Amino acid sequence: MFLTISTSGTAALPATDLGFLLHKHPDKAQKFSTSYGTAHVFYPEADAERCTAALLLEVDTVALVRRGKGKGRGGAPDAALAQYVNDRPYAASSLLAVALSAVFSSALRGVCNARPQRAAEPLPLRIEVPALPARGGPDLVRQLFEPLGWAVTAEPVALDTEFPAWGDSRYVRLVLESEKLTLAEALRHLYVLLPVLDDAKHYWVSSDEVDKLLRAGEGWLPTHPEQKLITSRYLSRRWSLTRQAMERLELVRLAEADDSEVESIDNAVEEEPEGEEKPTPLAVQRREAILAALHASGAARVLDLGCGQGQLVQELLKDARFSEVVGVDVSVRALTIASRRLKLDRMGERQAARVKLFQGSLAYTDKRLKGYDAAVLSEVVEHLDLPRLPALEYAVFGHARPRTVLVTTPNVEYNVRWETLPAGHVRHGDHRFEWTREEFRTWAAAVAERHGYEVGFQPVGPDDPEVGPPTQMAVFHRDEIRNDTTKEAKAA
């Protein structure tokens, strides 16, 4: 990855002051270690009239994969060749933005004790990025940079110059020019907008990214016409973080319009009394009930079948009693989100050895599922068409045969207690059915009888005396000693 920053000057105000502002001497070629490679800073030209600083990032793709525990970009749970063969060593992305922040950290903050006045003044700047992924094309590049005072040249890069009919790639050659911005402002624009244009990050986006965005976006992001797009993409489209950032940006905008401090604007709602507790969400109550049942069963090696985005896997890993946790889902996208939630790319070796994520369909037998103490089917069965349930039943109870199986599913009788749920509707558009308590018990008892399990039932959530709990859970248990004795008796 390559980026150059150029400026011009005079004898009184030499262009080589750029070296002071970047805190990197023009006569030296320097290198810096980063998490995923080596960053080099050097000056192709440096005199009073013109000075250019170059940042070259050498990405170690093998180290990138190893740090990701072999899970691919963003922790995707596949073993594709794309882990090693991709555009990351060549095209500007969040890797370059992170290197920019690490190598030019003082310049990014506008700190320069040697030339404080120059740091606070606009400079004639020219920034070039030879290869920039631009999901949205040259038009989006201009929409992002032009409102900030840049003259933008975004030339599409052809897929192949020998075959022009193939059209353009998603990459552009970017040139930015301005005489109205300080160096710190320019660097902050790049730090935010490079990963925004790539629409991807090489690391897990957590809540501290909101603070990073607001710090780098100070002075320009609250009034940017593409504020929502920038915020959403920078935060990897995580809705909760995007909403949090947008609310804080709106407070900043209102405070600036009122010429007051943010704290004086954000005081309309009193803090909640310490003694007042919010109700526990049903999803949390469901996970707590599952954990309690697993503890009672003595299970150590657990399957989460239909693990979705990994919330239950995350809770199981917090408990040292579970020595191995396996998440299985048919959706690769869900597994990708789960791996990011678990931060597999940053997980220590000992913890990583306890968890596996892999793709699989519960409609088919899978030898990878055999030999575990317990399996959890949490809010899974209702997503299958009824004719496919026998296939799931055999794959789990007949083939994998864990000692304990937990099945949770909505209780359709409780739906009348949801004020926002129209009569006759299921709770989620993807639910193929929802059972009454009697229907669920009938199905579970038949499954247990066919496969040599005993089954009990537990309510999850408030147990309404008229309509029962919102979620119903069946706990299947197979007594291996008793089953073996029974087989021997039948054989005799």
Side-chain angles (χ1 to χ4, degrees), residues 131-132 151 158 183 195 226 231 238 278 302 323 335 394 439 470:
L132 174 67
L183 179 62
E226 299 294 338
T231 303
R238 293 192 61 192
K278 294 182 178 180
V302 179
S323 59
L335 291 171
Y394 178 74
E439 289 170 333

Side-chain angles (χ1 to χ4, degrees), residues 202-273:
H202 67 279
Y203 58 91
W204 167 250
V205 173
S206 56
S207 57
D208 60 348
E209 290 295 301
V210 175
D211 294 325
K212 292 180 185 178
L213 174 63
L214 296 182
R215 283 196 300 269
E218 184 178 358
W220 62 271
L221 184 55
T223 57
H224 198 291
E226 299 294 338
Q227 176 198 102
K228 186 173 182 179
L229 180 143
I230 293 169
T231 303
S232 176
R233 284 194 175 192
Y234 184 87
L235 298 171
S236 296
R237 302 180 187 272
R238 293 192 61 192
W239 178 80
S240 60
L241 297 182
T242 301
R243 183 182 64 178
Q244 178 185 341
M246 293 294 291
E247 290 173 350
R248 291 173 62 179
L249 286 168
E250 179 62 13
L251 286 173
V252 171
R253 189 189 67 79
L254 291 173
E256 289 178 350
D258 198 39
D259 194 23
S260 59
E261 298 295 327
V262 172
E263 290 76 11
S264 65
I265 297 290
D266 190 21
N267 62 0
V269 180
E270 295 181 1
E271 293 186 4
E272 295 181 358

Side-chain angles (χ1 to χ4, degrees), residues 58-252:
E58 286 186 298
V59 178
D60 185 343
T61 54
V62 175
L64 191 64
V65 173
R66 286 175 177 169
R67 286 179 63 87
K69 301 291 186 294
K71 302 295 192 293
R73 184 174 187 172
D78 57 41
L81 183 63
Q83 293 181 47
Y84 293 95
V85 183
N86 51 61
D87 63 355
R88 282 173 286 175
Y90 315 107
S93 67
S94 62
L95 286 164
L96 184 60
V98 170
L100 194 76
S101 173
V103 174
F104 299 137
S105 57
S106 297
L108 202 79
R109 300 193 309 271
V111 176
C112 181
N113 295 330
R115 297 287 191 276
Q117 188 172 352
R118 290 282 271 167
E121 293 175 348
L123 296 176
L125 293 170
R126 177 185 173 90
I127 295 174
E128 295 186 49
V129 184
L132 174 67
R135 297 183 187 271
D139 290 340
L140 180 60
V141 177
R142 286 187 282 271
Q143 290 169 24
L144 295 183
F145 281 104
E146 285 181 348
L148 300 174
W150 292 104
V152 180
T153 302
E155 300 175 351
V157 177
L159 278 172
D160 194 314
T161 54
E162 295 186 9
F163 299 93
W166 289 2
D168 296 326
S169 68
R170 68 182 183 92
Y171 303 94
V172 299
R173 173 182 171 270
L174 177 66
V175 178
L176 302 172
E177 295 178 290
S178 176
E179 296 186 357
K180 302 176 182 179
L181 299 167
T182 66
L183 179 62
E185 289 172 331
L187 293 175
R188 289 199 293 268
H189 296 166
L190 292 171
Y191 176 73
V192 172
L193 297 181
L194 289 181
V196 166
L197 284 165
D198 189 22
D199 198 13
K201 285 197 170 184
H202 67 279
Y203 58 91
W204 167 250
V205 173
S206 56
S207 57
D208 60 348
E209 290 295 301
V210 175
D211 294 325
K212 292 180 185 178
L213 174 63
L214 296 182
R215 283 196 300 269
E218 184 178 358
W220 62 271
L221 184 55
T223 57
H224 198 291
E226 299 294 338
Q227 176 198 102
K228 186 173 182 179
L229 180 143
I230 293 169
T231 303
S232 176
R233 284 194 175 192
Y234 184 87
L235 298 171
S236 296
R237 302 180 187 272
R238 293 192 61 192
W239 178 80
S240 60
L241 297 182
T242 301
R243 183 182 64 178
Q244 178 185 341
M246 293 294 291
E247 290 173 350
R248 291 173 62 179
L249 286 168
E250 179 62 13
L251 286 173
V252 171

